[in-house]
Amino acid sequence: MSQTPKRAAVYCRLSYAPDGSVEKVERQEADCRELAARLGWEISESHVFVDNSRSAWQRKRKRPGWDSLLKAVEADDIDGIVVYHGDRMIRQPFDLERMISLAEGKGLRISSPSGTRDLDSADDRFILRIEAAQACRASDDTSRRVSRGVKGRVEKGLPPTAGGKRPYGWGVQIGSKVKVDPETGKEKRVPVFDMTLPVAEEIRFTQRAIERQLAGMNHGAVVRWLNESGSRTTEGNPWTTKSWRNVVLRPRVAGLIEHGGKLHKAAWDGAVSVEVWAAIKALYAASAAESPYCGRERVHLLTGVAECFQCHPAPRGGKCGSPKCKGPHQAVRSKPSGGRNRKTSRIYYCPSCRGVGRNMALLDAYIDGRVLRLLSSEDFLRELRKAMAPEGGDASSLLTEITALEKRREQEKARLESLADHPDVDGSLVVLAIASFDRKIVALRARLAVPAKLNRLTKLVGIGREDWLARPIDVRSAVVKDLFRVVILPTELRGPGFDTSSVRLERRPL
């Protein structure tokens, strides 16, 4: 007969604790200690293992407590395990086989309220294998029911899971319910929201902010505008670049839900069209590719835009003496000019060699003038029109075709509504016809689509100096980068004035 364990371990596990509550695993530990006391087992205080909010059924899950328990078994540090219930420890047969393999010949005993098992006993191993198979089958049944429920919600155009925080733009309160505070145990009344109903003011903020971004406004500037306009997150916090990015990149904003890697039509109308949502996603993707780190909100026109004539940035580093070098060069930064009589002036400088520096106000004014002159040029206007010409046809014919398709689509919709209750008409045929119109319209709009750069430049053609300076600094900086590569060269000019030959502007292709 096996000896009474003198170094028993305790294992506790709770599958789901979204609020991080440890109350239930603590209750399991107390029950395990009470059982060990009745059996006369001695608990090893250094071998109490807890997995809170951890699944034992998912094959790819991580259970730190379980892994530590197996190490203790392999090292022969324990001679018994007390568990609240067998399925708290094992819900997959392969976990049991792993335990049996590590405990072979060690006389390890497992105890729970349902009984005590000796892993060296063939009969007990047989019973444990049956219990593990039953636990796995129960988990499979639960998973199947949950998956079917999720599929049913998606088919209705609802999110895969209910509850959670109210999404920005949607969620009208339709009642309240009583909820128990996990920390205090007290009941409190919380609002209940219908997540398919739009919040008009938040929808307007979303639409206006996305319009600004597509027009060329910097991500950080849009966030600042939202905060200054009085918009707040659903939790009442000021917007950050991360929280706003999360809102506009979610399929919900376009009236879609994502499940299983596919997009489905949602039960609510989007704040923007699918095409606009695709454009804003493409804008973020392009920004991430061009600038892996977006940096702080822009303050000056040419920081990060103008380049030193000779220094290369890390990791390449070093200097080049060739004026024809097309490789990436060190971008300039800004700092105060310094000096008793220049307390408010600033300069652009190269942080690598510190050998070039230009007065910020004078260089900005020169660049502004060159940009305005180009935007007012007839040659540039012709170049822009050529760059924007759609593939496979001119813009006017494509727009005419889109307009005609949209008109026919509306006629089909009206026809569907009038025949909805007619017993001899198959409404699904009309629905399919409308879907075919949508596909054709999306394809034509894609041929009309232009890069964000061209869209930004088109709105600024012929702009005057006063209107130009009234534009946000990040928009002006983006336009400078769209049009020119700005290279700062050495200068021998000393004293007041600006040496235009000390700046090289290279036109970028549209």
Side-chain angles (χ1 to χ4, degrees), residues 57 98 113 123 143 345 371 417 447 464 499:
W57 173 74
R98 186 180 177 191
D123 291 337
S143 175
S345 67
V371 168
E417 292 176 357
R447 289 165 60 184
D499 182 8

Side-chain angles (χ1 to χ4, degrees), residues 311-375:
C311 296
H312 290 284
R316 176 180 174 181
K319 299 179 180 181
C320 71
S322 173
K324 297 182 179 180
C325 176
K326 299 297 183 181
H329 279 223
Q330 176 65 55
V332 300
R333 299 178 186 174
S334 69
K335 67 177 181 179
S337 300
R340 184 175 58 185
N341 300 321
R342 295 181 293 180
K343 295 181 179 180
T344 59
S345 67
R346 299 182 68 87
I347 63 170
Y348 292 115
Y349 75 102
C350 173
S352 296
C353 68
R354 299 181 181 270
V356 295
R358 291 295 177 276
N359 180 279
M360 178 181 291
L362 297 178
L363 181 55
D364 285 355
Y366 174 69
I367 297 297
D368 286 338
R370 290 291 300 271
V371 168
L372 291 173
R373 187 167 66 184
L374 181 60
L375 291 174

Side-chain angles (χ1 to χ4, degrees), residues 147 150-151 154-155 158-161 251 257-264:
S147 298
V150 168
K151 183 179 179 181
V154 171
E155 290 173 350
L158 300 175
T161 57
I257 53 177
E258 184 176 4
H259 178 62
K262 297 181 179 179
L263 294 174
H264 305 266

Side-chain angles (χ1 to χ4, degrees), residues 268-482:
W268 57 86
D269 293 329
V272 298
S273 67
V274 176
E275 293 81 9
V276 171
W277 181 59
I280 198 70
K281 288 201 302 177
L283 185 65
Y284 274 101
S287 176
E290 293 177 3
S291 307
Y293 171 65
C294 62
R296 301 176 182 176
E297 183 179 343
R298 177 167 293 280
V299 177
H300 306 296
L301 182 68
L302 298 177
T303 50
V305 176
E307 304 173 4
C308 174
F309 76 102
Q310 64 177 354
C311 296
H312 290 284
R316 176 180 174 181
K319 299 179 180 181
C320 71
S322 173
K324 297 182 179 180
C325 176
K326 299 297 183 181
H329 279 223
Q330 176 65 55
V332 300
R333 299 178 186 174
S334 69
K335 67 177 181 179
S337 300
R340 184 175 58 185
N341 300 321
R342 295 181 293 180
K343 295 181 179 180
T344 59
S345 67
R346 299 182 68 87
I347 63 170
Y348 292 115
Y349 75 102
C350 173
S352 296
C353 68
R354 299 181 181 270
V356 295
R358 291 295 177 276
N359 180 279
M360 178 181 291
L362 297 178
L363 181 55
D364 285 355
Y366 174 69
I367 297 297
D368 286 338
R370 290 291 300 271
V371 168
L372 291 173
R373 187 167 66 184
L374 181 60
L375 291 174
S376 301
S377 166
E378 289 294 332
D379 291 339
F380 175 75
L381 182 58
R382 285 191 291 270
E383 181 184 356
L384 186 59
R385 286 173 177 169
K386 183 178 179 180
M388 293 184 64
E391 298 180 2
D394 62 274
S396 59
S397 63
L398 290 177
L399 286 172
T400 301
E401 190 174 353
I402 290 172
T403 302
L405 286 172
E406 289 177 338
K407 184 177 181 179
R408 290 176 59 191
R409 181 181 62 184
E410 294 305 317
Q411 292 173 346
E412 291 295 337
K413 284 185 178 180
R415 179 186 170 199
L416 175 61
E417 292 176 357
S418 64
L419 298 177
D421 299 326
H422 198 291
D424 299 328
V425 175
D426 186 359
S428 62
L429 296 178
V430 184
V431 172
L432 290 174
I434 293 174
S436 69
F437 283 125
D438 289 336
R439 287 194 296 270
K440 292 177 182 177
I441 291 171
V442 169
L444 290 173
R445 289 194 182 278
R447 289 165 60 184
L448 269 177
V450 296
K453 176 177 71 172
L454 299 183
N455 190 33
R456 180 164 52 235
L457 294 174
T458 301
K459 297 178 180 180
L460 297 174
V461 169
I463 191 173
R465 177 174 291 274
E466 185 175 348
D467 290 338
W468 166 258
L469 296 177
R471 298 278 174 166
I473 185 70
D474 51 297
V475 175
R476 289 188 282 135
S477 179
V479 170
V480 172
K481 193 171 183 179
D482 291 340

Side-chain angles (χ1 to χ4, degrees), residues 61 180 225 252 474 506:
R61 83 286 179 267
V180 178
W225 171 80
R252 169 179 279 274
D474 51 297
E506 301 174 4

